[in-house]
Amino acid sequence: MTTTTHQVNPVLRTPPASPAAAAAYFSASLAFHADVSDVASTLADARATGVDPGFVVIDSRSTASWDQGHVPGAVHLPTALIAEQAEQLLDKSVPVVTYCWGPGCNGATRAALALAELGFQVKEMLGGFEYWVREGFPYETWEGAEKKDADPLTAPVDADDCGC
């Protein structure tokens, strides 16, 4: 009798979660995270229509980082100052979206945790300021407004929406 051994590839070495577990996980992920393009389009629509976006954006980086560039309309609240300033600057009934530099930085996560511990509803903006700029959205510096062309590896160059 011959036996065959079937080697499992690295992707399936750990089997996928059940559909129910996957649905619960991904649903929870969406409750904790916001996409850069969703934040940008909602803020742009709010500016164009005069309608409140329903959330406030928090830049949790240092003053030097803020001056280098930040999301227009964001509130500057460095993580180290959240405990002493958040309740004076923010309304607990308004959800907060935090961001920091980018995917290689967990500053927005630390800021979101600090805000949640104070009783704020909070989401983290995936990609942070890096992806805001890379996707071609306008930003502000200490010198004024700026905008770069979208990086074709992060955003469509010939469409307003990636379709995802």
Side-chain angles (χ1 to χ4, degrees):
M1 171 159 71
T2 320
T3 59
T4 33
T5 56
H6 184 270
Q7 187 170 355
V8 177
N9 69 51
V11 173
L12 299 176
R13 186 176 300 135
T14 300
S18 71
Y25 172 84
F26 293 117
S27 177
S29 179
L30 292 171
F32 297 114
H33 300 111
D35 182 89
V36 166
S37 62
D38 290 340
V39 172
S41 66
T42 302
L43 292 176
D45 289 347
R47 279 190 303 278
T49 62
V51 175
D52 188 312
F55 60 88
V56 64
V57 178
I58 298 294
D59 184 317
S60 65
R61 301 172 302 148
S62 69
T63 299
S65 298
W66 167 268
D67 288 346
Q68 189 173 324
H70 57 270
V71 171
V75 173
H76 184 223
L77 182 56
T79 302
L81 301 177
I82 288 174
E84 68 182 66
Q85 293 183 4
E87 295 192 19
Q88 290 81 40
L89 293 174
L90 306 171
D91 178 343
K92 285 188 179 178
S93 69
V94 178
V96 176
V97 176
T98 63
Y99 75 89
C100 199
W101 273 111
C105 175
N106 67 1
T109 305
R110 287 193 311 272
L113 173 60
L115 288 161
E117 289 175 339
L118 292 172
F120 289 90
Q121 301 170 71
V122 63
K123 288 188 172 203
E124 178 182 4
M125 185 173 78
L126 296 175
F129 184 68
E130 175 189 347
Y131 275 74
W132 184 276
V133 174
R134 289 183 73 189
E135 290 188 26
F137 300 117
Y139 60 98
E140 297 173 345
T141 73
W142 68 274
E143 295 178 305
E146 295 196 29
K147 184 178 186 306
K148 296 184 185 288
D149 291 338
D151 178 341
L153 295 176
T154 65
V157 293
D158 295 328
D160 292 335
D161 185 324
C162 69
C164 57

